[in-house]
Amino acid sequence: MGLFITSMVVSVGLETVSTQINRVLNPTPPGAAASLTPAGEIWLEQRSGDTRYVLMALGMQPGGAVLNGVTVFNIGAESQKRITADQADLMDGKWVLVNAVGDSPDRPPERLSNYTLPTTSTPAEISLKLSSTEDMTIFEPD
């Protein structure tokens, strides 16, 4: 019985402590341990109906509903082939891009105010996509 209790303390308690210490000493961007993308970049393929695009971000806030340093690559016949923004906020089935600028090969860059992109993703799904088992402990609800 004593061996069982010691094993549980080591496997649950010490593993949690070692994961938290590892985050401080060697922080890994969310999902980077399990992805094949360059360090510090987050790539998400998004869609809603006929709208398809790839969203690349240089960082995210906890939970995944806010991405920083965003570039959107439209797939299809969109008028803007690439959109850059300081931030993208996921709310009510759409990404809201802050300080967005649209680029297209046939015209000069255009500032886009209140630009939104539809998505079927939820904050919980984005958080799950950007996490790995290395990023979480047993005591964390996300």
Side-chain angles (χ1 to χ4, degrees), residues 12-131:
V12 175
L14 292 180
E15 178 63 22
T16 299
V17 171
S18 83
T19 299
Q20 291 172 341
I21 290 171
N22 187 43
R23 287 181 189 160
V24 173
L25 297 177
N26 185 22
T28 304
S35 68
L36 299 174
T37 58
E41 292 182 1
I42 299 164
W43 290 80
L44 299 168
E45 184 175 353
Q46 299 285 283
R47 66 180 65 219
S48 179
D50 292 337
T51 304
R52 291 183 53 222
Y53 54 95
V54 175
L55 193 145
M56 189 275 295
L58 298 176
M60 75 173 222
Q61 294 180 13
V66 178
L67 302 175
N68 302 314
V70 175
T71 303
V72 177
F73 302 95
N74 284 307
I75 301 170
E78 298 292 324
S79 61
Q80 304 293 331
K81 292 299 180 188
R82 183 182 71 183
I83 301 166
T84 56
D86 295 339
Q87 182 174 305
D89 300 322
L90 182 57
M91 353 177 173
D92 302 324
K94 62 185 176 250
W95 288 103
V96 178
L97 303 181
V98 177
N99 295 326
V101 175
D103 291 313
S104 185
D106 58 347
R107 59 179 176 234
E110 174 184 1
R111 182 147 312 272
L112 305 170
S113 61
N114 302 319
Y115 196 80
T116 61
L117 288 166
T119 185
T120 57
S121 296
T122 64
E125 179 186 352
I126 297 296
S127 180
L128 183 60
K129 283 182 182 180
L130 299 177
S131 297

Side-chain angles (χ1 to χ4, degrees), residues 6-17:
T6 302
S7 298
M8 290 301 292
V9 168
V10 168
S11 65
V12 175
L14 292 180
E15 178 63 22
T16 299
V17 171

